[in-house]
Amino acid sequence: MEIFDFVVVGGGSGGCAVASRLSEGPATSVALLEAGGTGDNWVVTTPGAMILQIAGKTNNWAFDTVPQKGLNGRIGYQPRGKGLGGSSAINAMVYIRGHKADYDGWAALGNAGWSYADVLPYFKRSEDNSEFDGPCHGKGGPMHVTGSRSDNPVREIYLQAAREAQFRIRDDFNGEEQEGLGTYQLTQKNGERWSAARGYIHPFMKSRANLHAITSAQATRILFEGKRAVGVEYRQGKELKRIRARREVILSSGAFQSPQLLMLSGIGDAAALARHGIASLHHLPGVGQNLQDHPDFVFGFTSDAPHFAGLSFGGIARIFKGIAQYRRERRGPMTSNVAECGGFLKTRPDLDLPDIQLHFCMAMVADHGRKPRWGTGFSCHVCVLRPKSRGSVWLQSADPLAAPAIDPNFLGEESDLDAMVAGFKTTRRLLDTPALKALRKTDTVTAGVETDAQIRQVLRNNVDTVYHPVGTCKMGVNDAFAVVDPELRVYGVEALRVVDASIMPTLIGGNTNAPAIMIGEKAADMIKAEIRA
């Protein structure tokens, strides 16, 4: 059995960051277990190939939800990255931290050390921003952050529409203020995707003898001696193997699979585990609870403008032309993250924080790209940033290779539907401006939808995830449903932490990749401090 100081389970954004930082000291050995591949192929690095991953099973777990009562019983889709880099290897690369009030809210819940002032240094440490500097940004970090190199003129049309709708323009969504519309910064370098693996793991796989990335290795359970985590059992091909941790096991498998692995290992609600014949090691009823995600609706329009991706004779010709340009220059449409523009808005002027986020896409998107249609056009996502609905994750069986049951409980609370209606109307105000109306040919989703009742119906028929699940291993103090403490140590056992977006007590107001990396950075610092002590 191989032995390492730390075994990190899951090579996603948080796992890559914590494994890399812990292995900076040559005396500390780290094994990083990842169920997928190395994440260093052209499908990952070419931004335009994103749709092949999100819509299919390339580097993607491609989970489904249970039927959603709030969505008329529809089954939702939950793509999650499978490979080094995790979801940072398949996502839309949007670099957003969330609002400072989100983190101050975590601290106010009793999570000392997690205020915005506490976490900002870790955001900055991870960042190498080519466009912005000053007190809010970092230079020289592992994650390259820059503007899009797609050169799409629609970005200027979008900004003109924002002005026409009298929304403020925001150059930097990660600065002192968040509210406004603009173009997104991306985790890219020279027009290529820059995943957490490219930033934190790939540069050191050969140069650090103490860092071992073990791929195609799916963890099946955590090994314990008494209540101390001492290793991990995993399946690689047809072999069942074990790996031992001298110091700690660090679970970084994401909002669905971190709680799944805890439950498979006997940590969770004892009665629920017993139904699957799993002996309870520690009764922790919060495992898998508190699931939160941004409910999202997508407007779609066909367009004859020559700037959009899609299946048409002209669109296909532009794809081939774009591939040639990408190979020559690493510029043009193949560098696009599709969701090039967006921003954060308040649906009412009396709100303290923006309550919706937009992602304006240079293509029509239907069912996460799984239902392509003939023609070119554009779409616009709107999501509610702080939904009240809470869902859960649970075991469907004791088989570690079976997918967990996932229930985001979208629009489970009526207040979330009310917020979505307000977001719908606010977004339509932008889409109905002269600048964007001039690009529209036909409305594919909301034609004739005018009354609140019609809006509610189209929302229940179409809302789904915008890929930001969090919260299922909740961080908390004096909370019956907390799973980890503010040092991310799992309650009731020893030498086991969770380091990924599942520890978020509440969902942040924005995309979750940069915060997951921040969590990995901060966790590494806390662990190093404990070692020194």
Side-chain angles (χ1 to χ4, degrees), residues 1-9 22 28-33 214 221-225 227-234 241-251 494-497 527 531:
M1 188 187 302
E2 289 187 286
I3 302 176
F4 296 85
D5 291 315
F6 295 93
V7 176
V8 180
V9 184
L22 289 176
T28 301
S29 60
V30 180
L32 177 60
L33 293 182
I214 305 171
R221 65 186 175 107
I222 303 162
L223 303 174
F224 287 89
E225 291 179 357
K227 286 201 169 185
R228 180 180 178 85
V230 296
V232 177
E233 180 183 84
Y234 66 96
K241 301 181 178 181
R242 291 185 171 194
I243 190 169
R244 191 170 179 89
R246 291 188 192 92
R247 289 186 178 273
E248 289 187 9
V249 173
I250 298 172
L251 192 48
E494 298 175 18
L496 179 62
R497 286 181 215 247
I527 293 168
I531 292 173

Side-chain angles (χ1 to χ4, degrees), residues 485-505:
D485 67 15
E487 285 71 44
L488 310 187
R489 298 172 296 207
V490 176
Y491 283 114
V493 296
E494 298 175 18
L496 179 62
R497 286 181 215 247
V498 181
V499 179
D500 58 33
S502 70
I503 65 95
M504 294 186 183

Side-chain angles (χ1 to χ4, degrees), residues 414-431:
E414 192 69 20
S415 61
D416 289 346
L417 184 56
D418 295 338
M420 286 295 307
V421 171
F424 181 104
K425 293 177 178 178
T426 302
T427 307
R428 182 175 262 182
R429 185 176 135 201
L430 173 73
L431 296 171

